[in-house]
Amino acid sequence: MLLWLAHLALAADPVERPEDTWDLSVLYPSLDAWEAEMKATEAAVDGVAGCKGQLSSRLRDCLDQRFGVHKTVMRLNVYASNASNADTRDAEWLSRSQRGEMLYARLDEVGAFFKPEIITLGGDVVEKAIASDKALAPYDYYLRSAVRDGAHILPAREEALLAGGAISRDATIRVRSQLVNAELPWPEVTLSDGTKARLSPANYTAHRGSPVRADRQLVFDQFFGALSEYGGTLAAAIDGAVQGHWYVAKARGYPTSVAAAIDTDHVPQAVYDTLVARTNANLPTLHRYLKLRAKMLGISDLAYSDLYPPLVSGSRTWSIDEAKQLTIDATRVLGAEYAAESEKGLRARWTDVYPREGKVSGAYMDGSAYDVHPFMLLNYTGDYEAVSTLAHEWGHAMHSVLSRKAQPYSKADYATFTAEIASTTNEALLLDHMLKTTKNEDDRLFYMGNALEGLRTTYFRQALFAEFELAMHTAVEQGQPLTKEWLDSKFLEITRRYYGHDAGVTKVPDSIGSEWSYIPHFYYNFYVYQYATSISAGSLFADDILAKKKGAVDRYLGLLSAGGSDDPVVLLQRAGVDMTSAAPYDAIASRMERIMDEIEGILTKKGKKKK
Ligand SMILES: [Zn+2]
């Protein structure tokens, strides 16, 4: 038995069954085996350097070598990082996990010549090579992508200068993180029941949905007030980050920061612009939801601080076995292969289920061990949120299962842009299944209220962030430095438009202007828009699948199986979803409208019964 398993067994909750923990020994039978492979792979990583200057004569051989080593490095990392995440207090596993990461970084560094050399070969040579050697087929997308990126890759010395500056450009997010997570003196508040709470970001999240209106108002005022006091520092930090994005974009010859950022996945600007335009066009749907929320909470003057209490509270819990069965049943519409793989994977030891002291928080799926299977980490509590999280992560896991089955290693890894489609489609299928199997009206209201809130936060809220992120970058590109005043007023303007402040839908107080400083994602260089595009595409797929549209399931499974074999927007197009069209964004608005129709129907019926 592995050392770490013995260690976990000591720390584990006594009711934890072996099947509720993952079995990492399928990756390496022992720690010695892992150490031996680490050693051999360190040498293999350095061996990749031997391909430098050789790609014109040994293209296939060198690609085989590079991707082969890459695959092993990932497997080594899956073993060490997951063992470490299961118990972050274990210094030895942390150190092994860091060694794995360093090996990955080393491979990146050693293999950095691949792209520039392929670009130097040029499109014609690459196309001739692909045409004349069938064994290059697994690499055709990689090769063509590199050639296409050529227009924005600089000569080696300039690339090195840019790369060398990254550590100082990244100081901006370290400053923010140090201030917000460690040094900012968060205010202490006394809640209506007499308990005191220090409003750190974690406690803000814990209390912002309080059922007591005065408490959540207090929490919002104090939390955003505290952030506002440090708004000058936080503005200087985000200004530095955005200036850095623009600096790199200009150096690489892009017209704008957004063009540079989304070109890493070859996403056309039209996707971003359509998302923002259609979301604005769909704001009446958000406003209808906010009015419904006010009605259900019994509030006549809805305020921004009333956004987080649940519409309907639910107390039901599910065992992990019940949750797995719900996921299997809810996704049965995806056909026999999906169901069989789900039965197999969910019943095998792929998942570490329960929260435990020292275990990382949250949930994730790790699909990086190509020859093995995905692993999932949950912190399962049994409430509906936890059931929904399982269905979400299982969507990711099946994406990996299907893409590994259909694609060679070099094409199996999929882009972030498509990743959240697999998970959000599963969430939509779960909701449909819960509604189909639940007659109790209060339970139905609970599931639908939960779904509406998920759609608000993953679609409208992220699209709002995407619009603000674009506005910040555009301002910098036009020579406008990002001051606290500019940031507060721009964030307030967009938030008031989204939440219908002027129309009397939601009162958004001035203090919300500083909410931009609470969002670390603004440092990630155009990341958040993908939450909104993914859930939109997922909505459209789920609608078509549930409506039993001809070919819908095959189109969807085709997308999952395609992995990273082409640009994400091209793969989606092939699966029948055009991300530059209104269709996906309008699908999510219609989904919300349908849920609200149903909720209002139940509320009307209930109102009549009372009379
Ligand atoms: Zn996810």
Side-chain angles (χ1 to χ4, degrees), residues 392 396 420 423:
H392 177 109
H396 288 312
E420 292 301 333
S423 52

Side-chain angles (χ1 to χ4, degrees), residues 238-265:
I238 192 68
D239 184 55
V242 173
Q243 302 278 2
H245 299 159
W246 177 220
Y247 172 80
V248 175
K250 271 189 296 188
R252 295 198 178 285
Y254 285 100
T256 58
S257 310
V258 64
I262 64 180
D263 196 36
T264 47
D265 280 332

Side-chain angles (χ1 to χ4, degrees), residues 16-22 320-321 324 346-353:
E16 195 169 73
R17 306 164 300 177
E19 62 262 41
D20 298 328
T21 60
W22 53 30
I320 185 65
D321 293 341
K324 287 178 176 177
L346 284 168
R347 304 238 151 90
R349 293 182 58 195
W350 294 12
T351 310
D352 195 61
V353 174

Side-chain angles (χ1 to χ4, degrees), residues 56-101:
S56 57
S57 56
R58 295 173 49 214
L59 185 59
R60 173 155 57 87
D61 174 33
C62 285
L63 286 168
D64 282 344
Q65 198 178 333
R66 189 231 170 234
F67 279 97
V69 174
H70 196 276
K71 189 171 78 168
T72 310
V73 169
M74 295 311 279
R75 185 175 178 141
L76 287 161
N77 267 288
V78 170
Y79 186 75
S81 68
N82 286 303
S84 174
N85 287 341
D87 188 357
T88 56
R89 299 165 304 180
D90 189 317
E92 287 188 24
W93 275 111
L94 181 64
S95 137
R96 286 180 201 117
S97 169
Q98 285 165 342
R99 276 168 60 204
E101 280 171 33

Side-chain angles (χ1 to χ4, degrees), residues 395-415:
H396 288 312
M398 282 301 297
H399 196 174
S400 291
V401 166
L402 296 175
S403 75
R404 283 188 306 110
K405 235 184 185 182
Q407 302 296 334
Y409 179 71
S410 50
K411 293 181 179 179
D413 194 18
Y414 41 84

